[in-house]
Amino acid sequence: MKKAIKSVEEALELYVNNARIHGEASETGNYRKANKAHDIIRKCEKYLYDNNSMILLEKYLNDPANGVRNWVSYDLLPVIPEKAIKVKEDIANGPFGAAKATASTTLELWKKGELTFPYMN
């Protein structure tokens, strides 16, 4: 993604679309596609954080795609931890796969106080 994000709405749309792509690509092992989506999500996180708009991700906690729910719950851990933890636990208790592993690891790091949020730096 070469162009700059110009609005919160654009950041949200890019975030959700790429979280979906990242989740699907991670489950199928398409690391190039997952890495590209990851980079775009990181730019969206930074934009949303800098514009005090992370809470707007809350409406996506119930998205049908585990990839979206996994990313959103990660980003909302510092904002609304109770809701984010519940979503992470739901994913961690789900079927085997990349989403389950990611959710389990994220919860473990959160509980230890070792989880980082790059966009906050």
Side-chain angles (χ1 to χ4, degrees):
M1 188 175 112
K2 303 283 185 209
K3 67 177 188 150
I5 298 170
K6 295 180 180 157
S7 69
V8 169
E9 292 77 20
E10 180 184 8
L12 287 169
E13 182 178 343
L14 282 168
Y15 179 107
V16 172
N17 289 341
N18 282 281
R20 187 169 285 111
I21 290 166
H22 183 269
E24 292 168 2
S26 295
E27 292 295 341
T28 61
N30 187 339
Y31 69 90
R32 285 193 175 128
K33 197 172 189 180
N35 288 346
K36 183 178 177 184
H38 174 273
D39 292 346
I40 294 169
I41 294 165
R42 289 294 188 210
K43 289 177 182 168
C44 294
E45 288 170 329
K46 180 73 173 144
Y47 187 92
L48 292 169
Y49 180 77
D50 289 349
N51 287 277
N52 299 310
S53 299
M54 294 301 276
I55 193 65
L56 297 177
L57 291 169
E58 183 179 8
K59 66 184 173 184
Y60 300 105
L61 283 172
N62 295 318
D63 193 274
N66 270 343
V68 174
R69 293 173 58 233
N70 228 346
W71 273 102
V72 169
S73 58
Y74 160 79
D75 282 319
L76 291 178
L77 279 167
V79 182
I80 47 173
E82 302 82 19
K83 288 183 179 183
I85 288 169
K86 182 179 180 335
V87 172
K88 282 284 181 215
E89 288 173 341
D90 288 345
I91 297 169
N93 292 323
F96 177 79
K100 177 180 179 133
T102 300
S104 297
T105 302
T106 302
L107 282 170
E108 182 180 320
L109 291 171
W110 176 257
K111 289 173 184 173
K112 290 180 180 178
E114 298 175 359
L115 194 62
T116 59
F117 299 89
Y119 54 84
M120 289 183 176
N121 298 325

